[in-house]
Amino acid sequence: MVTRLRPLSLSCCLPFAFISLPLYASSFFSDVASTPPPGVLSLNHQLLQLAPSATPEALRLAAQALSCADPDVERLAVIDYSLPSTERRMWVFDLRQHTLLFEELVSHGQGSGDAQADAFSNIPESYQSSLGLFRTMNSYYGRNGYSLRLNGLEPEVNDLAYERAIVIHGADYVSDDFIAQTGRLGRSHGCPAVRQDITYPLIDSLRDDQYVFAYYPDEEWLASSNFLRCQTLGAPHLAQR
């Protein structure tokens, strides 16, 4: 015969800590269930941890695109064009060292908008920024100084980036002083221009087969990008070197 203790007598016999155990245990197991084990954090979790001020959806989609293109890459830059140019909206991650290298101002193209970008294209001479996933190429010295070439990987979205000379470069119109004077950053011809002070280290951290992901909640791009749908398409690695 199983003897059943009355709840009152059991609670009188046990310390308070044991009475509280179910509450703490519930909280503990809830935390464990929502957090991947150490060492196997998902890329999305990693990005969120390193850049808590970024738009979560931008980081989630960047993680999705990179998992399709090259999950073993070392560096990733995320640009969030849904934020105004007055905010720091470019993050450069070292994925192997689990560190945030840069959190920076970045310009958009003259044709994309004023302080807030809302129009994007792949068209030469449009002076608009392009969205999607880019692979970085070599650095070089051009008319804008030290620059980094970008290879757009998405057909009809950004694959004319090289032809359009869409590159990362430094510019004097990307600064807090410029924002104080005009209420926004200066605008480029479509390039993601950065502060002159950090041009060299930022470009050197990203050159030669790293990745840049430019985000905006553009419905057509979100619905059509293969890099955001590769799990359903059954193509886990779409970007071939």
Side-chain angles (χ1 to χ4, degrees), residues 50-122:
L50 295 173
S53 63
T55 304
E57 184 67 358
L59 298 183
R60 185 185 71 81
L61 293 176
Q64 171 64 41
L66 199 62
S67 70
C68 289
D70 192 349
D72 298 321
V73 73
E74 182 178 2
R75 303 277 171 81
L76 167 69
V78 177
I79 300 172
D80 182 1
Y81 286 127
S82 72
L83 299 176
S85 66
T86 53
E87 296 186 24
R88 279 163 166 70
R89 55 181 182 171
M90 180 180 189
W91 298 265
V92 179
F93 303 92
D94 187 317
L95 302 177
R96 293 182 184 172
Q97 298 299 320
H98 190 69
T99 55
L100 177 64
L101 301 178
F102 298 93
E103 182 173 3
E104 284 295 327
L105 297 168
V106 63
S107 71
H108 55 254
Q110 296 173 11
S112 287
D114 195 37
Q116 182 76 55
D118 57 13
F120 304 88
S121 82
N122 194 37

Coordinates of all heavy atoms in Angstrom, one line a residue, residues 50-122:
L50 N 25.8 39.8 -30.2 CA 26.9 40.8 -30.5 C 26.4 42.2 -30.9 O 27.1 43.2 -30.6 CB 27.8 40.3 -31.6 CG 28.6 39.0 -31.3 CD1 29.3 38.5 -32.5 CD2 29.6 39.2 -30.2
A51 N 25.2 42.2 -31.4 CA 24.6 43.5 -31.9 C 23.2 43.7 -31.4 O 22.3 43.6 -32.2 CB 24.7 43.6 -33.4
P52 N 23.0 43.8 -30.1 CA 21.6 43.9 -29.6 C 20.8 45.1 -30.0 O 19.6 45.1 -30.0 CB 21.8 43.9 -28.0 CG 23.2 44.4 -27.9 CD 24.0 43.9 -29.0
S53 N 21.5 46.2 -30.5 CA 20.8 47.4 -31.0 C 20.4 47.2 -32.4 O 19.6 48.1 -32.9 CB 21.8 48.6 -30.9 OG 22.9 48.4 -31.7
A54 N 20.8 46.2 -33.1 CA 20.4 46.0 -34.5 C 18.9 45.5 -34.6 O 18.4 44.9 -33.6 CB 21.3 45.0 -35.2
T55 N 18.3 45.7 -35.8 CA 17.0 45.2 -36.0 C 17.0 43.6 -36.0 O 17.7 43.1 -36.9 CB 16.4 45.7 -37.3 OG1 16.5 47.1 -37.3 CG2 15.0 45.2 -37.6
P56 N 16.3 42.9 -35.2 CA 16.4 41.5 -35.1 C 16.1 40.8 -36.5 O 16.7 39.8 -36.9 CB 15.4 41.1 -34.1 CG 15.3 42.3 -33.2 CD 15.5 43.5 -34.1
E57 N 15.1 41.4 -37.2 CA 14.8 40.8 -38.5 C 15.9 40.9 -39.5 O 16.2 40.0 -40.3 CB 13.5 41.4 -39.1 CG 13.0 40.8 -40.4 CD 12.5 39.4 -40.2 OE1 12.5 38.8 -39.1 OE2 12.0 38.8 -41.2
A58 N 16.7 42.0 -39.5 CA 17.8 42.1 -40.4 C 18.9 41.1 -40.1 O 19.5 40.5 -41.0 CB 18.4 43.5 -40.2
L59 N 19.1 40.8 -38.8 CA 20.1 39.8 -38.4 C 19.6 38.4 -38.7 O 20.4 37.6 -39.1 CB 20.4 40.0 -36.9 CG 21.0 41.3 -36.5 CD1 21.4 41.3 -35.0 CD2 22.3 41.7 -37.3
R60 N 18.4 38.2 -38.5 CA 17.8 36.8 -38.8 C 18.0 36.5 -40.3 O 18.4 35.4 -40.7 CB 16.4 36.7 -38.4 CG 15.8 35.3 -38.5 CD 14.3 35.3 -38.3 NE 13.5 36.0 -39.3 CZ 13.2 35.4 -40.5 NH1 13.6 34.2 -40.7 NH2 12.5 36.1 -41.3
L61 N 17.7 37.5 -41.1 CA 17.8 37.2 -42.6 C 19.2 37.2 -43.0 O 19.5 36.4 -43.9 CB 17.0 38.3 -43.3 CG 15.5 38.3 -43.1 CD1 14.8 39.4 -43.8 CD2 14.9 36.9 -43.6
A62 N 20.1 38.0 -42.4 CA 21.5 37.9 -42.7 C 22.0 36.5 -42.4 O 22.8 35.9 -43.2 CB 22.3 38.9 -42.0
A63 N 21.6 35.9 -41.2 CA 22.0 34.6 -40.9 C 21.5 33.6 -41.8 O 22.2 32.6 -42.2 CB 21.6 34.3 -39.4
Q64 N 20.3 33.7 -42.3 CA 19.7 32.8 -43.2 C 20.4 32.8 -44.6 O 20.8 31.8 -45.1 CB 18.2 33.2 -43.5 CG 17.5 32.4 -44.6 CD 17.4 31.0 -44.4 OE1 17.1 30.5 -43.2 NE2 17.7 30.1 -45.4
A65 N 20.7 34.1 -45.0 CA 21.4 34.2 -46.3 C 22.8 33.6 -46.3 O 23.3 32.9 -47.2 CB 21.5 35.7 -46.7
L66 N 23.5 33.8 -45.2 CA 24.9 33.3 -45.0 C 24.9 31.8 -44.9 O 25.8 31.1 -45.4 CB 25.6 34.0 -43.8 CG 27.1 33.9 -43.9 CD1 27.7 34.6 -45.1 CD2 27.7 34.5 -42.6
S67 N 23.9 31.3 -44.2 CA 23.8 29.8 -44.1 C 23.6 29.1 -45.4 O 24.0 28.0 -45.6 CB 22.7 29.4 -43.1 OG 21.4 29.6 -43.7
C68 N 23.0 29.9 -46.4 CA 22.8 29.3 -47.7 C 24.1 29.5 -48.5 O 24.5 28.6 -49.3 CB 21.7 30.1 -48.4 SG 20.1 29.7 -47.8
A69 N 24.8 30.6 -48.4 CA 25.9 30.9 -49.2 C 27.2 30.3 -48.8 O 27.9 29.7 -49.6 CB 26.1 32.5 -49.3
D70 N 27.5 30.5 -47.5 CA 28.9 30.1 -47.0 C 28.9 30.1 -45.5 O 29.4 31.0 -44.9 CB 29.9 31.1 -47.6 CG 31.3 30.6 -47.4 OD1 31.5 29.6 -46.7 OD2 32.2 31.2 -48.0
P71 N 28.4 29.0 -44.9 CA 28.3 29.0 -43.4 C 29.6 29.0 -42.7 O 29.6 29.2 -41.5 CB 27.5 27.7 -43.2 CG 27.7 26.9 -44.4 CD 27.8 27.8 -45.5
D72 N 30.7 28.7 -43.4 CA 32.0 28.7 -42.7 C 32.8 29.9 -42.9 O 34.0 30.0 -42.5 CB 32.8 27.5 -43.2 CG 32.1 26.2 -42.9 OD1 31.5 26.0 -41.8 OD2 32.1 25.3 -43.8
V73 N 32.2 31.0 -43.4 CA 33.0 32.2 -43.7 C 33.4 32.9 -42.4 O 32.8 32.6 -41.3 CB 32.1 33.2 -44.5 CG1 31.0 33.8 -43.7 CG2 33.0 34.3 -45.1
E74 N 34.4 33.7 -42.4 CA 35.0 34.3 -41.2 C 34.3 35.6 -40.8 O 34.0 35.9 -39.7 CB 36.5 34.5 -41.4 CG 37.2 35.1 -40.2 CD 38.6 35.3 -40.4 OE1 39.1 35.0 -41.5 OE2 39.3 35.7 -39.4
R75 N 34.0 36.4 -41.8 CA 33.5 37.8 -41.5 C 32.2 38.1 -42.3 O 32.0 37.6 -43.4 CB 34.6 38.8 -41.9 CG 35.9 38.6 -41.3 CD 36.0 39.2 -39.9 NE 37.2 38.9 -39.2 CZ 38.4 39.5 -39.3 NH1 38.5 40.5 -40.2 NH2 39.4 39.1 -38.6
L76 N 31.4 38.9 -41.6 CA 30.1 39.3 -42.2 C 29.8 40.7 -41.8 O 29.9 41.1 -40.6 CB 29.0 38.4 -41.7 CG 27.5 38.8 -42.0 CD1 27.2 38.8 -43.5 CD2 26.5 38.0 -41.2
A77 N 29.4 41.5 -42.8 CA 28.9 42.9 -42.5 C 27.4 42.9 -42.8 O 26.9 42.3 -43.8 CB 29.6 43.9 -43.3
V78 N 26.6 43.5 -41.9 CA 25.2 43.7 -42.1 C 24.9 45.1 -42.1 O 25.3 45.9 -41.2 CB 24.4 43.0 -40.9 CG1 22.9 43.3 -41.1 CG2 24.7 41.5 -40.9
I79 N 24.2 45.6 -43.2 CA 23.7 47.0 -43.3 C 22.2 47.0 -43.2 O 21.6 46.2 -44.0 CB 24.2 47.6 -44.6 CG1 25.7 47.6 -44.7 CG2 23.7 49.0 -44.8 CD1 26.3 48.0 -46.1
D80 N 21.7 47.8 -42.3 CA 20.2 47.8 -42.2 C 19.7 49.2 -42.7 O 19.7 50.1 -41.9 CB 19.9 47.6 -40.7 CG 18.4 47.6 -40.4 OD1 17.6 47.7 -41.4 OD2 18.0 47.5 -39.2
Y81 N 19.3 49.2 -43.9 CA 18.8 50.4 -44.5 C 17.3 50.8 -44.1 O 16.8 51.8 -44.5 CB 18.8 50.3 -46.1 CG 20.1 50.4 -46.7 CD1 20.6 49.4 -47.6 CD2 21.0 51.5 -46.4 CE1 21.9 49.5 -48.1 CE2 22.2 51.6 -47.0 CZ 22.7 50.6 -47.9 OH 23.9 50.7 -48.4
S82 N 16.7 49.9 -43.2 CA 15.5 50.3 -42.6 C 15.6 51.4 -41.6 O 14.7 52.0 -41.2 CB 14.7 49.1 -42.1 OG 15.3 48.7 -40.9
L83 N 16.9 51.6 -41.1 CA 17.2 52.6 -40.1 C 17.6 53.9 -40.8 O 18.2 53.8 -41.9 CB 18.3 52.1 -39.2 CG 18.0 50.9 -38.3 CD1 19.3 50.5 -37.5 CD2 16.8 51.1 -37.4
P84 N 17.3 55.0 -40.2 CA 17.8 56.3 -40.9 C 19.3 56.4 -40.8 O 20.0 55.8 -40.0 CB 17.1 57.4 -40.0 CG 16.9 56.7 -38.6 CD 16.6 55.3 -39.0
S85 N 19.8 57.2 -41.7 CA 21.3 57.4 -41.9 C 21.9 58.0 -40.7 O 23.1 58.0 -40.5 CB 21.6 58.2 -43.1 OG 21.2 59.5 -43.0
T86 N 21.1 58.6 -39.8 CA 21.6 59.3 -38.6 C 22.0 58.2 -37.5 O 22.7 58.6 -36.5 CB 20.6 60.2 -38.0 OG1 19.4 59.5 -37.8 CG2 20.4 61.4 -38.9
E87 N 21.6 57.0 -37.7 CA 21.9 55.9 -36.7 C 23.0 55.0 -37.3 O 23.2 54.8 -38.5 CB 20.7 55.1 -36.5 CG 19.5 55.9 -35.8 CD 18.4 55.0 -35.4 OE1 18.6 53.7 -35.2 OE2 17.2 55.5 -35.3
R88 N 23.7 54.4 -36.3 CA 24.7 53.4 -36.7 C 24.0 52.2 -37.2 O 23.3 51.5 -36.4 CB 25.7 53.2 -35.5 CG 26.7 54.2 -35.4 CD 27.5 54.3 -34.1 NE 28.7 55.1 -34.2 CZ 28.7 56.4 -34.4 NH1 27.5 57.1 -34.4 NH2 29.8 57.1 -34.5
R89 N 24.2 51.8 -38.4 CA 23.4 50.8 -39.0 C 24.2 49.8 -39.9 O 23.7 49.1 -40.7 CB 22.3 51.4 -39.9 CG 22.8 52.4 -41.0 CD 21.7 53.0 -41.8 NE 22.2 53.9 -42.8 CZ 21.5 54.4 -43.8 NH1 20.2 54.1 -43.9 NH2 22.0 55.2 -44.7
M90 N 25.5 49.8 -39.6 CA 26.4 48.8 -40.2 C 27.2 48.1 -39.1 O 27.8 48.8 -38.3 CB 27.3 49.5 -41.2 CG 28.3 48.5 -41.9 SD 29.4 49.4 -43.0 CE 30.2 48.0 -43.8
W91 N 27.1 46.8 -39.1 CA 27.8 46.0 -38.1 C 28.7 45.0 -38.9 O 28.3 44.3 -39.8 CB 26.9 45.2 -37.3 CG 25.9 46.0 -36.5 CD1 26.1 46.5 -35.2 CD2 24.7 46.6 -36.9 NE1 25.0 47.3 -34.8 CE2 24.1 47.4 -35.8 CE3 24.0 46.5 -38.1 CZ2 22.9 48.0 -35.9 CZ3 22.8 47.2 -38.2 CH2 22.2 47.9 -37.1
V92 N 30.0 44.9 -38.4 CA 30.9 43.9 -39.0 C 31.3 42.9 -37.9 O 31.8 43.3 -36.8 CB 32.2 44.6 -39.5 CG1 33.2 43.6 -40.0 CG2 31.9 45.7 -40.5
F93 N 31.0 41.6 -38.2 CA 31.2 40.6 -37.2 C 32.4 39.7 -37.6 O 32.5 39.3 -38.8 CB 29.9 39.7 -37.2 CG 28.7 40.4 -36.9 CD1 27.9 40.9 -37.9 CD2 28.3 40.6 -35.6 CE1 26.7 41.5 -37.6 CE2 27.1 41.2 -35.3 CZ 26.3 41.7 -36.3
D94 N 33.1 39.3 -36.6 CA 34.1 38.2 -36.8 C 33.4 36.9 -36.2 O 33.3 36.8 -35.0 CB 35.4 38.5 -36.0 CG 36.5 37.4 -36.3 OD1 36.1 36.2 -36.3 OD2 37.6 37.8 -36.5
L95 N 33.0 36.1 -37.1 CA 32.2 34.9 -36.7 C 33.0 33.8 -36.1 O 32.4 33.0 -35.3 CB 31.4 34.4 -37.9 CG 30.5 35.4 -38.6 CD1 29.9 34.8 -39.9 CD2 29.5 36.0 -37.7
R96 N 34.3 33.8 -36.3 CA 35.1 32.7 -35.7 C 35.5 33.1 -34.3 O 35.6 32.3 -33.4 CB 36.3 32.4 -36.6 CG 35.9 31.8 -37.9 CD 37.2 31.5 -38.8 NE 36.8 31.0 -40.1 CZ 37.6 30.8 -41.1 NH1 38.9 31.0 -40.9 NH2 37.2 30.3 -42.3
Q97 N 35.8 34.4 -34.1 CA 36.2 34.9 -32.8 C 35.0 35.3 -32.0 O 35.2 35.7 -30.8 CB 37.2 36.0 -33.0 CG 38.5 35.7 -33.7 CD 39.3 34.6 -33.0 OE1 39.4 34.6 -31.7 NE2 39.8 33.7 -33.7
H98 N 33.8 35.3 -32.5 CA 32.6 35.7 -31.8 C 32.8 37.1 -31.3 O 32.6 37.4 -30.1 CB 32.3 34.7 -30.7 CG 30.9 34.9 -30.1 ND1 29.8 34.7 -30.8 CD2 30.6 35.4 -28.9 CE1 28.7 35.0 -30.0 NE2 29.2 35.4 -28.9
T99 N 33.1 38.1 -32.2 CA 33.3 39.4 -31.7 C 32.6 40.4 -32.7 O 32.5 40.1 -33.9 CB 34.8 39.8 -31.6 OG1 35.5 39.5 -32.8 CG2 35.5 39.0 -30.5
L100 N 32.2 41.5 -32.2 CA 31.8 42.6 -33.1 C 32.9 43.6 -33.3 O 33.5 44.2 -32.4 CB 30.6 43.4 -32.4 CG 30.0 44.6 -33.1 CD1 29.4 44.1 -34.5 CD2 29.1 45.3 -32.3
L101 N 33.3 43.7 -34.6 CA 34.5 44.5 -34.9 C 34.1 46.0 -35.1 O 34.9 46.9 -34.7 CB 35.1 44.0 -36.2 CG 35.6 42.5 -36.2 CD1 36.2 42.1 -37.5 CD2 36.6 42.3 -35.1
F102 N 33.0 46.2 -35.7 CA 32.6 47.6 -36.0 C 31.1 47.8 -35.9 O 30.3 46.9 -36.2 CB 33.0 48.1 -37.4 CG 34.5 48.0 -37.7 CD1 35.1 46.9 -38.3 CD2 35.3 49.1 -37.4 CE1 36.4 46.9 -38.5 CE2 36.6 49.1 -37.6 CZ 37.2 48.0 -38.2
E103 N 30.7 48.9 -35.4 CA 29.3 49.4 -35.4 C 29.3 50.8 -35.9 O 29.7 51.7 -35.2 CB 28.6 49.3 -34.0 CG 27.2 49.7 -34.0 CD 26.5 49.4 -32.7 OE1 27.2 49.0 -31.7 OE2 25.3 49.7 -32.6
E104 N 28.9 51.0 -37.2 CA 29.2 52.2 -37.9 C 28.1 52.9 -38.6 O 27.1 52.3 -38.9 CB 30.3 51.9 -38.9 CG 31.7 51.7 -38.3 CD 32.2 53.0 -37.6 OE1 31.9 54.1 -38.1 OE2 33.0 52.9 -36.6
L105 N 28.3 54.2 -38.8 CA 27.4 54.9 -39.8 C 27.7 54.5 -41.2 O 28.9 54.1 -41.5 CB 27.7 56.4 -39.7 CG 27.4 57.1 -38.4 CD1 28.1 58.5 -38.4 CD2 25.9 57.2 -38.1
V106 N 26.7 54.5 -42.0 CA 27.0 54.1 -43.4 C 25.9 54.9 -44.3 O 24.8 55.0 -43.9 CB 26.9 52.6 -43.7 CG1 25.5 52.1 -43.3 CG2 27.3 52.2 -45.1
S107 N 26.4 55.3 -45.4 CA 25.5 56.1 -46.3 C 24.7 55.2 -47.2 O 25.0 54.1 -47.4 CB 26.4 57.1 -47.2 OG 27.1 56.3 -48.1
H108 N 23.7 55.8 -47.8 CA 23.0 55.2 -48.9 C 23.0 56.1 -50.1 O 23.5 57.3 -50.1 CB 21.5 54.9 -48.6 CG 20.7 56.0 -48.1 ND1 20.4 56.2 -46.7 CD2 20.2 57.1 -48.7 CE1 19.6 57.3 -46.6 NE2 19.5 57.9 -47.7
G109 N 22.5 55.7 -51.3 CA 22.6 56.4 -52.5 C 21.7 57.6 -52.6 O 20.6 57.6 -51.9
Q110 N 22.0 58.6 -53.4 CA 21.2 59.8 -53.5 C 19.8 59.4 -54.0 O 18.8 60.1 -53.7 CB 21.9 60.7 -54.5 CG 23.2 61.3 -54.1 CD 23.9 62.1 -55.2 OE1 23.3 62.4 -56.2 NE2 25.2 62.4 -55.0
G111 N 19.7 58.4 -54.9 CA 18.4 58.0 -55.5 C 17.6 57.2 -54.5 O 16.4 56.9 -54.9
S112 N 18.1 56.8 -53.4 CA 17.4 55.9 -52.5 C 16.6 56.7 -51.4 O 15.7 56.1 -50.8 CB 18.4 55.0 -51.7 OG 18.9 54.0 -52.6
G113 N 16.9 58.0 -51.3 CA 16.1 58.7 -50.3 C 16.9 59.8 -49.6 O 18.1 60.0 -49.9
D114 N 16.3 60.5 -48.7 CA 17.0 61.6 -48.0 C 17.6 61.1 -46.7 O 18.6 60.4 -46.8 CB 16.0 62.7 -47.7 CG 16.6 64.0 -47.3 OD1 17.6 64.4 -47.9 OD2 16.1 64.7 -46.4
A115 N 17.1 61.3 -45.6 CA 17.7 60.7 -44.3 C 17.3 59.3 -44.2 O 18.0 58.5 -43.6 CB 17.2 61.5 -43.1
Q116 N 16.2 58.9 -44.8 CA 15.7 57.5 -44.8 C 15.6 57.0 -46.2 O 15.1 57.5 -47.1 CB 14.2 57.5 -44.2 CG 13.6 56.1 -44.1 CD 14.2 55.4 -42.9 OE1 14.1 55.9 -41.7 NE2 14.7 54.2 -43.1
A117 N 16.3 55.8 -46.4 CA 16.2 55.2 -47.7 C 14.9 54.4 -47.8 O 14.5 53.8 -46.9 CB 17.4 54.2 -47.8
D118 N 14.4 54.5 -49.0 CA 13.1 53.7 -49.2 C 13.0 53.2 -50.7 O 12.0 52.6 -51.1 CB 11.9 54.5 -48.9 CG 11.8 55.8 -49.6 OD1 12.5 56.0 -50.6 OD2 11.0 56.7 -49.2
A119 N 14.0 53.4 -51.5 CA 14.0 52.9 -52.9 C 15.4 52.3 -53.2 O 16.4 52.9 -52.9 CB 13.7 54.1 -53.8
F120 N 15.3 51.2 -53.9 CA 16.6 50.4 -54.2 C 16.5 49.9 -55.6 O 15.4 49.6 -56.1 CB 16.8 49.3 -53.1 CG 16.7 49.8 -51.7 CD1 15.5 49.9 -51.0 CD2 17.9 50.2 -51.1 CE1 15.5 50.4 -49.7 CE2 17.9 50.6 -49.8 CZ 16.7 50.8 -49.1
S121 N 17.7 49.7 -56.2 CA 17.7 49.1 -57.5 C 19.0 48.6 -57.9 O 20.0 48.8 -57.2 CB 17.2 50.2 -58.6 OG 18.3 51.0 -58.9
N122 N 19.0 47.9 -59.0 CA 20.2 47.3 -59.6 C 20.6 48.1 -60.9 O 21.5 47.6 -61.6 CB 19.9 45.9 -59.9 CG 21.1 45.0 -60.2 OD1 22.2 45.2 -59.6 ND2 21.0 44.0 -61.1

